[in-house]
């Protein structure tokens, strides 16, 4: 046990220099003096909040139970239960005359934070909370990098500096103390997934070559966001993509190409043509904007058709590429998608099929069209 530790239970205790001192034991039948006008006594957090008010840790007539908490607010509260830090630090955004300076010095000394560049009014993340409360409870991250005892945490990569603290807080385990942390002797490990793409519902995730979830990073031409789910980089578009996939496909029971076919047919036959923007050969900066337009307005030109198909195809795991170029006759501006299947590139031209079938009475399909079949259209990419 370290010289200064906090054990967080239903009542509040303080340990200083190895001696447990009971600072507040409020029996269930004792009236609280620390009430709040916005907190009902039946609320799950009432006892904890009232205890902290009785101790003088928090004050005021309102508790604001649904608000977030900042680093500064939390550290000022925790500072009531620890000796003042003996060390001084040069914080980027907390001068020595700031009322919170001493609390942040304590936080650095205790290992609750690692950086001097924090803004005191920033809100904590769940990862921050895991790290801080591990230290408060005298718990330490796994000393040995044994991923098999942890498994894959889908929204935290192995390379994340908080990975082991999150595992420590989140997973039931038995452990023995070791220099630099713990050695787990048993744990309720999560599945350790193999490298590659996989679905949870319709949300596409990825495991990298090291066995960790890809979070805020890339895997080939696939990009993954902070939740470990494939992203276009445009959150409002990601939401529309997931909503549409939930209507169209079920990765649990459908083969990949079946899903691709359903997505292709949806884009081709559930939208209407509208002649709007045209773009330069080679320019694909418009993809997200035009895909969003198509998913909301359901009408557009070849750029919208191809952009919508592209983002949906990527979201179900196909390494699609989108092109802005020209097509015959007349070298007209055009956009389309290509996907390589088992080493063979194919063209997927949703707008061309739409116009040929509806306006030219064609029966041709441009789903998974071999490139030689499309030579008469003279696709030009500008390369």
């Amino acid at each position: 046990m370290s010289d200064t530790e906090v054990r967080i239970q239903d009542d509040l205790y303080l340990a200083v220099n190895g001696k447990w001192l009971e600072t507040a034991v409020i029996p269930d039948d004792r009236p609280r003096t620390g009430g709040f006008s916005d907190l009902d006594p039946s609320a799950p957090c009432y006892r904890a909040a009232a205890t902290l008010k009785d101790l003088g840790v928090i004050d005021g007539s309102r508790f604001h139970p649904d608000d977030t908490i900042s680093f500064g607010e939390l550290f000022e509260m925790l500072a009531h239960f620890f000796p003042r830090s003996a060390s001084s630090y040069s914080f980027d955004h907390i001068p020595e005359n700031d009322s919170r300076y001493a609390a942040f010095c304590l936080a650095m000394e205790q290992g609750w934070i690692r950086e001097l560049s924090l803004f005191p009014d920033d809100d904590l993340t769940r990862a921050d909370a895991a790290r801080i409360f591990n230290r408060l409870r005298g718990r330490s991250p796994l000393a040995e990098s044994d991923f098999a005892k942890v498994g894959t945490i889908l929204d935290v990569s192995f390379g994340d500096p908080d990975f082991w603290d999150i595992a420590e807080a989140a997973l039931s385990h038995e452990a023995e103390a070791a220099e630099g942390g713990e050695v787990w002797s048993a744990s309720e490990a999560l599945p350790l997934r193999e490298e590659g793409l996989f679905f949870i519902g319709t949300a596409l995730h990825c495991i990298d070559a090291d066995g960790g979830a890809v979070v805020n990073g890339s895997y080939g031409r696939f990009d993954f966001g902070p939740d470990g789910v494939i992203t276009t980089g445009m959150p409002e578009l990601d939401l529309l993509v997931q909503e549409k996939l939930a209507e169209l496909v079920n990765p649990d029971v459908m083969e990949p190409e079946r899903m691709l076919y359903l997505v292709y047919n949806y884009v081709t036959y559930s939208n209407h043509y509208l002649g709007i923007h045209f773009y330069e050969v080679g320019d694909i900066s418009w993809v997200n904007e035009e895909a969003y337009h198509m998913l909301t307005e359901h009408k557009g030109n070849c750029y919208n058709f191809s952009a919508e198909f592209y983002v949906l195809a990527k979201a179900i795991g196909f390494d699609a590429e989108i092109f802005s170029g020209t097509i015959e006759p007349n070298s007209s501006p055009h956009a389309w998608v290509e996907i390589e299947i088992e080493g063979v590139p194919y063209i997927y031209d949703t707008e061309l099929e739409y116009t040929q079938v509806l306006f030219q009475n064609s029966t041709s399909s441009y789903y998974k069209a071999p490139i030689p079949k499309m030579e008469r259209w003279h696709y030009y990419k500008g390369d």
Side-chain angles (χ1 to χ4, degrees), residues 48-62:
T51 300
L52 291 176
K53 186 171 184 180
D54 283 347
L55 290 170
V57 177
I58 54 178
D59 56 19
S61 62
R62 292 171 62 82

Side-chain angles (χ1 to χ4, degrees), residues 52-97:
L52 291 176
K53 186 171 184 180
D54 283 347
L55 290 170
V57 177
I58 54 178
D59 56 19
S61 62
R62 292 171 62 82
F63 183 64
H64 304 284
D66 296 322
D67 287 359
T68 58
I69 189 169
S70 69
F71 284 100
E73 290 171 318
L74 178 62
F75 294 159
E76 283 190 295
M77 287 192 287
L78 293 177
H80 285 78
F81 308 110
F82 287 84
R84 187 182 180 91
S85 170
S87 302
S88 298
Y89 298 89
S90 297
F91 296 100
D92 294 349
H93 307 291
I94 312 166
E96 292 187 21
N97 62 357

